[in-house]
Structure formats: C-alpha cells, structure tokens
Amino acid sequence: MNFEKEYDLICVGGGIMSANLALLTKLIDPSKKILILERLDKVAQESSAAWNNAGTGHSALCELNYCPEKEDGTITTDKAIKICEQYEISKQLWSYLVEEKLMDSPNDFVMPVKHHSWVEGKENSEYLEKRYHAFKEHFMFDTIEFTRDIEKMRKWFPLIMKDRKENEVMAASRINRGTEVNYGTLTEKLFQILEEKFDTPVHCNYEVLDVDPDTEIDWTVEVKNTKTNKVENIDAKHVFIGAGGGSLLLLQKVEIEEKEGYGGFPVSGEWLVCTNKDIIKQHNTKVYSKAGIGDPPMSTPHLDTRYIDGKKALLFGPFAGFSPKFLKEGSNLDLFKSIKLDNISPLLGAFWHNLPLTKYLIQQVLMSKEDRMESLRKFVKKADSKDWNIVKAGQRVQIIKKDEFKGGKLQFGTEVISSKDGSITCLLGASPGASTATAIMLQVIEKAFPELLSSKKGEKKMQEIIPFYNREITQNLFSKELSRTKRILKL
C-alpha cells in the first residue's frame, strides 16, 4: 500500500468513533485528507460489534443508573437529559444520511423497541415512582408511563410476569420511543459511505505502534502491516486514537502531559443468549432493572430483545468477568504494560476505594452457568438452562484517573483527552459510548478543527446535519426533531 506523505487526520481504529469523526469531517470539508487504520482484518470487530455491546440506543429512557437518588430523596436527572440529547444527535446524523441518499435501509441497524424499567420491593418501587414524577416534568421524557399494576405489566412484558403471584411488590415504567441498534452494521454502513462517496477507505491489517511529535508537521505515526511486518512512518496534522480498549496503551506512548495519571481497569462480559424460538417470540422489549447494592453501574441487569445478523434474539446480562486483556483480540500483558510511574498512585487509590467492585468481579468470575441462570430467574421465573447459552461479550476498559482526595478514582462513561492545541485526541472509557458517538466526535472536531465550525458556513452546514448543534434545545425543537427522525428512520 502506498500511503500519501501527509494527512490532515489519521484515525486509529475501525470502530464507531472513527467512522463518525471521519464522516462528519468529510461532510463539512470534503477536501480533508483522512487515513483510517484498523489492526484487524475487518472493521467493527471489537467494541462496536453487535455481540460485544448492549445494543440499546442508550437514551436514558430505561437505564436507572443515570438517575441517582440524592440523600434528601430527590432524583437527579441531569445525566439522563444529557445522554438523551446526545443519542438524539446520533439519530439526526443517521437521518441526514438517509435523506441525502448516502445510506439506505435504516432498519438494517436501528429498530423500534419499547424501553422499560422494572423493579421489585417496596423501596425500589418508591424510587421508580419518584423517577417517573421527575421525568414527567421534563419534555424529553414526558411520555413516560408508570404502573404498580400486575395486569398492566403482564401486557407490557408477559414473559417476565409469567408465574408471578398477585401479592408480589413491583413497579415498572416505560417509554415507547425506545430503539435497538446494531452498531456493527451501522459502523460498516458509515465506512461504506466514506469509501464510496469520499474515496476514504479503511486500511485493515495495519497496527499503529507509536505516535511521535514531528518538528515540521505535528505528528509522525509509526505503522506496521500485520501481514508483511513492514513498518513505515506517516505524517499527520491531527491524530485521533479511537481504538477502544487499546487506546490507553497507545496514548501512553504519546508525548503530551495531558495523558499523565490515566490508567485503565479491564472488565470482560458475558451474555446468556436464548436458543428457544418460542421464548424469543414472547418478549418484544428491553427491560432494565436496578443494580444490586454495592454493585457497579455496568452490572445493571437487563432482558433485551435484539436484532443481530437479521434475526431477532433475546439476551440477558451482562455478567462481568476479568481478563488482563484490553481488547478481545488483545494480549494478556495489556494490563501490566499499562502500569507506569505516573499512574501507580491513581491505580492503587482507585483499587482501595473500590473494594466492593473487586469483590463483585471475583463473585462474577466464580459464577457457574447455573448461578447465572438463577440471576435470570429473577426475571424469567422458570427459565430452563437448556434454552440458554453463554456467549462472550466485548472487553471494556474503565477509566482510572487522578483524584486529589482519593489518589485515584474509577470513572464510568467516556472521556476525551487532548493536547492543548487539539492536534491529538484520544477517547477512553465505555458505556454509553456507541450511542453518543456523534456528539462525542463533534467535541473532537471542535478541538482538532475549530476553523471548520467557527465560520458561518461551517456552523450552518453542521446545523443542517445536526439541528441540535449550537442551539438551545426547546420543547418545540425537540418534538419536531423527534417526529422527523422517527419518520425518516422508520421507527
């Protein structure tokens, strides 16, 4: 492969993040020279792959961990509102691509699936009712329904309500506009647009070994062809590291002070996947419950209708596991390689202040299939082991960063780290990453190419693609956009 001598942007990683960044940049300025490099032989094989993530269009409609309860009993909705807004931004990009005939068949990757929250017990039911009232007051969530009525729940999710007694204390809420997303298929479609319309293909089987500052241009990227082992250097004005769990190890090689103190904690995942078609037919929704006391947010159990490889599927989980690898196709030495002098203190601080997480992970690792089935039976009372298989999900690397009081803290979610001049950016973290990819990559463009969006022409173009961009989101704008994207995406 003959690479050009110099690029405006090199994207490391062939996942949903690089696809969004490269495509948004090209839509604003088609003249930008962009190179996309992927270590594996296909795109979307790690965190973006359908079996490797939750597949929920994370819009905070059903995920209870986005609405913590304060000590005074009030419910905080700030995070839920932000995530809801970010997911709608993703839908606006997809709608633009469909309207411009750059992409067809949106139901190949996004489907309408109602989102439910469901809890058991008096205390949890009271929490869910308080969350319902808090949501009802905000226009983004004002279509929410709430019930404690067993008969109504039987209509909402009959599989879960089978064999329930009338005196069981439980509550549920739902929002009808929820979605199910196959991020693997979506990523492939976005890269297809880049290749066919913008002559920007993904170069697979290329591993980025290092990124060094260059005196004449900003960065020199050292790249190895994994088939021939040939190593070459390519120059770039901007570099984006979006290699999922592999991002941290590459960031640590980059000579910028902003990387100091960051570490990562790898968590693997597993699903119970239903193999009985009759059972799969009985459940047509996503039902999220509450994580156990002391369990981390990523452990929120859910029973999900999914559409993967053109077929309807039913998944329960996630179950956490431990592997020192930072990627599914990574190395068992990844965790040890990531330990540096500048992050030892944050790593130890985060470990010490998250002992319940360590205990939780040990318990999860030691679970047998039957233990996992017992967790499922809290949702599906008479679930039979022979109807369910264990399937390995993706690797996640949770962010660990410096904390002035604790030494280090474990941070859930995603974070963009960038040099002062924005010439190099790196995305660390996990959920709800894929769902909010468009909004996150807009932040990267603002740092890396501020000139693209600071002009009247650039801002106008971005608002054409994403009507929420740089605008106050009023009830009218939100409702109008919700209706428009629903029609275009056939939801």
Side-chain angles (χ1 to χ4, degrees), residues 377-393:
R377 287 181 192 121
K378 289 174 185 171
F379 278 68
V380 183
K381 284 259 184 179
K382 293 185 179 174
D384 191 329
S385 295
K386 72 176 191 306
D387 293 329
W388 299 79
N389 286 338
I390 294 174
V391 170
K392 214 149 187 57

Side-chain angles (χ1 to χ4, degrees), residues 89-312:
I89 285 171
S90 292
K91 282 166 63 185
Q92 287 169 8
L93 171 63
W94 309 338
S95 299
Y96 174 83
L97 298 173
V98 172
E99 277 205 305
E100 293 296 308
K101 297 191 168 39
L102 293 168
M103 182 162 73
D104 58 10
S105 310
N107 293 145
D108 286 351
F109 69 88
V110 61
M111 296 284 282
V113 174
K114 292 178 174 68
H115 284 199
H116 293 85
S117 306
W118 170 72
V119 294
E120 294 181 282
K122 183 174 179 287
E123 199 175 307
N124 286 336
S125 297
E126 285 170 1
Y127 159 78
L128 195 64
E129 186 164 7
K130 281 193 273 190
R131 175 181 173 270
Y132 159 73
H133 288 299
F135 264 17
K136 199 77 183 160
E137 289 174 11
H138 198 280
F139 60 82
M140 288 188 188
F141 307 105
D142 59 6
T143 57
I144 190 170
E145 299 172 67
F146 173 82
T147 189
R148 293 173 185 260
D149 182 67
I150 297 268
E151 287 310 312
K152 188 172 257 193
M153 284 183 242
R154 283 202 174 105
K155 288 176 185 164
W156 286 2
F157 33 79
L159 182 63
I160 291 176
M161 298 310 292
K162 238 183 191 177
D163 305 304
R164 297 275 170 191
K165 292 174 185 160
E166 295 297 324
N167 63 352
E168 288 186 50
V169 178
M170 57 185 76
S173 63
R174 81 163 169 183
I175 296 181
N176 287 338
R177 70 166 193 266
T179 52
E180 139 69 15
V181 187
N182 183 326
Y183 286 103
T185 301
L186 171 60
T187 303
E188 287 167 4
K189 280 181 177 278
L190 298 180
F191 280 129
Q192 191 178 350
I193 297 167
L194 280 159
E195 181 161 15
E196 292 176 2
K197 306 292 181 185
F198 296 102
D199 193 26
T200 305
V202 179
H203 297 281
C204 293
N205 301 302
Y206 280 93
E207 182 176 6
V208 175
L209 303 176
D210 202 356
V211 181
D212 284 316
D214 189 293
T215 49
E216 292 179 19
I217 195 164
D218 286 289
W219 301 99
T220 296
V221 178
E222 188 182 351
V223 181
K224 181 175 88 171
N225 182 317
T226 57
K227 294 208 161 175
T228 65
N229 286 329
K230 182 187 173 187
V231 176
E232 52 193 306
N233 293 319
I234 309 163
D235 289 337
K237 292 176 185 171
H238 300 86
V239 177
F240 169 67
I241 303 171
S247 294
L248 176 64
L249 291 171
L250 189 53
L251 175 67
Q252 289 179 330
K253 295 178 180 180
V254 180
E255 293 171 32
I256 55 169
E257 62 184 56
E258 289 80 5
K259 71 177 181 181
E260 299 296 317
Y262 278 94
F265 186 79
V267 180
S268 60
E270 290 179 342
W271 302 108
L272 278 173
V273 178
C274 188
T275 56
N276 186 323
K277 287 181 183 174
D278 291 333
I279 295 170
I280 295 168
K281 278 181 197 166
Q282 293 174 49
H283 193 77
N284 297 296
T285 183
K286 292 180 182 285
V287 181
Y288 273 58
S289 195
K290 225 178 168 198
I293 294 166
D295 290 349
M298 62 190 159
S299 67
T300 302
H302 43 100
L303 184 66
D304 276 14
T305 291
R306 298 287 314 274
Y307 289 90
I308 300 174
D309 304 328
K311 290 180 185 169
K312 186 181 171 190

Side-chain angles (χ1 to χ4, degrees), residues 58-60 66 79-88 432 436:
H58 279 292
S59 39
Y66 298 146
K79 190 172 183 182
I81 291 163
K82 188 72 185 162
I83 288 169
C84 179
E85 176 190 323
Q86 289 179 321
Y87 181 61
E88 292 306 317
T436 58

